[in-house]
Amino acid sequence: MIRVLGIETSCDETAASVVTLDGGGAPKILSDIVLSQIEEHAAFGGVVPEIAARAHVEALDGIIEAALADSGVDLADIDAIAATAGPGLVGGLIVGLMTAKAIAAAANKPLIAINHLEGHALTARLTDGLDFPYLLLLVSGGHTQIVAVRGVGDYQRWATTIDDALGEAFDKTAKMLGLPYPGGPNVEKVAATGDATRFAFPRPMKGSAQPDFSFSGLKTAVRQAATAIAPLSDQDVADICASFQAAVADALDDRVSRALNRFRQEFPGEAKPALVVAGGVAANRTIKATLEALCEKAGFAFVAPPLKLCTDNAAMIAWAGIERLRAGIAGENTADFVPRSRWPLDSISAPMVGSGRRGAKA
Ligand code: KG4
Ligand code: ZN
């Protein structure tokens, strides 16, 4: 039996969780506590790094205590502490990693520094018992990436965004149209009553041989359309949201279908490979339906873990710790580990863009 305490503080969720792996190889989430800071940031229309770091300091002790209490596992019986050490907002990373180091030192436990993206990448093995290799589409407020997941610690980033993350594009569109933060769910809600054919927004990167994503041109097109017809009626806003969402779904369809083709070529032995989605944007029904249809056509299994485990949480961090322990590659993470605001999953993929308000994107 392996028992790991996970800690996540890389953005605007303070989270702690205890996950176990029994002798038969079955994982179990014993506790999974996530405190969202949405209310603290809502007035500013996005995550404010200093507010996030302070909120983590205030909440983290209590969240860890609650996660241990909920799990019924004594700290003395925990095998290791796994904490997100990057990429993300450095203030939050410092709070989480320093707390983890302190607990590890006091309780004489090993510390495992986890790459947040590895947490997302391995979640489908915790929830669905997926075997390697598989393809991951991560679409959140901070990241938009396609990653070939080949093994524990063995990832290849095939695509990333060259400007905004997709969730960020939803959030900025919402802000422009006067919809509340966080924008994604509100854009989706309003889009349901809109006409998706009214505005012919660009499909960024569609048809490009380069596999990457781009959303800033689409954002500009939305702003220009909104300015041209201002003041906006409720119906105008709904039509813009629906047209924006259709453009995004279409662009994703094109980008992801390229990656599915590449996966087929690189892993010809996989009869029914899987595409896994993660990140808050995976909640969007139009996007989900688009990806599902694409997978169906391409002969891929479509795997969408429960939303609570798709969005930021500490169970995925604890699980990544378990995977590393099991694979015997937890040892390189010592108490000397320094938080990394930038930390690409694979060493060959260079960072593409600067830091947003949710931290570095690659
Ligand atoms: O993974 P997540 O919870 O957190 C981080 O990015 O750290 O993702 C949040 C992002 C936000 O940008 C939010 O607007 C977007 O996911 N989002 C959505 C939907 N629900 C959340 N975007 C589109 N449609 C949704 N239904
Ligand atoms: Zn995340």
Side-chain angles (χ1 to χ4, degrees):
M1 171 77 95
I2 307 177
R3 302 176 184 87
V4 171
L5 168 67
I7 297 174
E8 158 62 37
T9 54
S10 68
C11 189
D12 57 344
E13 275 93 16
T14 315
S17 162
V18 175
V19 178
T20 61
L21 185 75
D22 67 22
K28 199 163 183 186
I29 301 173
L30 295 188
S31 62
D32 176 18
I33 300 192
V34 180
L35 179 72
S36 165
Q37 302 175 357
I38 280 181
E39 279 175 21
E40 269 104 317
H41 301 288
F44 305 95
V47 179
V48 183
E50 284 73 17
I51 293 177
R54 280 164 205 269
H56 287 306
V57 171
E58 276 168 28
L60 187 56
D61 285 5
I63 298 283
I64 292 172
E65 232 177 281
L68 282 168
D70 265 20
S71 74
V73 178
D74 223 55
L75 180 57
D77 296 324
I78 292 282
D79 295 297
I81 323 286
T84 303
L89 297 170
V90 79
L93 293 172
I94 291 171
V95 173
L97 193 58
M98 290 304 291
T99 305
K101 283 182 182 179
I103 296 172
N108 197 22
K109 306 286 178 191
L111 170 80
I112 312 174
I114 299 292
N115 183 315
H116 177 87
L117 301 170
E118 180 169 60
H120 282 302
L122 297 176
T123 299
R125 288 167 56 76
L126 167 65
T127 57
D128 294 74
L130 222 59
D131 286 328
F132 299 121
Y134 53 87
L135 197 63
L136 170 79
L137 171 69
L138 173 60
V139 275
S140 69
H143 302 281
T144 305
Q145 305 197 351
I146 298 178
V147 178
V149 183
R150 307 194 301 182
V152 180
D154 184 7
Y155 314 100
Q156 266 191 357
R157 192 187 74 196
W158 285 358
T160 188
T161 177
I162 58 172
D163 40 59
D164 292 344
L166 183 51
E168 193 178 5
F170 269 94
D171 293 338
K172 286 177 176 170
T173 295
K175 200 171 178 182
M176 269 187 283
L177 299 173
L179 299 172
Y181 174 84
N186 289 303
V187 168
E188 179 176 17
K189 197 165 98 196
V190 172
T193 57
D195 173 4
T197 61
R198 178 165 162 205
F199 298 94
F201 290 137
R203 271 56 176 160
M205 308 293 279
K206 190 169 175 178
S208 150
Q210 189 191 347
D212 295 309
F213 299 92
S214 164
F215 296 106
S216 93
L218 175 58
K219 179 184 65 189
T220 305
V222 168
R223 186 174 45 238
Q224 283 168 346
T227 313
I229 58 165
L232 302 176
S233 69
D234 286 352
Q235 192 56 51
D236 292 333
V237 171
D239 293 346
I240 292 175
C241 286
S243 303
F244 165 81
Q245 202 170 253
V248 163
D250 209 15
L252 277 184
D253 185 72
D254 176 70
R255 306 284 79 205
V256 175
S257 90
R258 259 165 214 280
L260 298 186
N261 288 339
R262 177 170 171 189
F263 195 91
R264 279 268 183 231
Q265 280 166 11
E266 295 208 8
F267 303 98
E270 298 295 307
K272 178 98 177 172
L275 172 74
V276 176
V277 284
V281 183
N284 188 287
R285 274 161 297 212
T286 302
I287 290 175
K288 223 172 176 168
T290 303
L291 295 172
E292 237 166 336
L294 181 61
C295 283
E296 170 96 50
K297 218 168 53 193
F300 274 64
F302 179 71
V303 179
L307 200 62
K308 187 160 190 253
L309 294 170
C310 265
T311 54
D312 289 352
N313 66 88
M316 70 178 188
I317 303 303
W319 173 247
I322 289 178
E323 290 261 39
R324 286 196 160 256
L325 282 172
R326 186 165 59 169
I329 52 170
E332 70 241 41
N333 291 306
T334 68
D336 299 334
F337 205 95
V338 175
R340 301 179 184 172
S341 60
R342 271 182 194 288
W343 187 3
L345 256 186
D346 60 358
S347 50
I348 47 166
S349 51
M352 292 280 276
V353 286
S355 295
R357 284 210 280 185
R358 284 173 173 265
K361 295 191 187 72

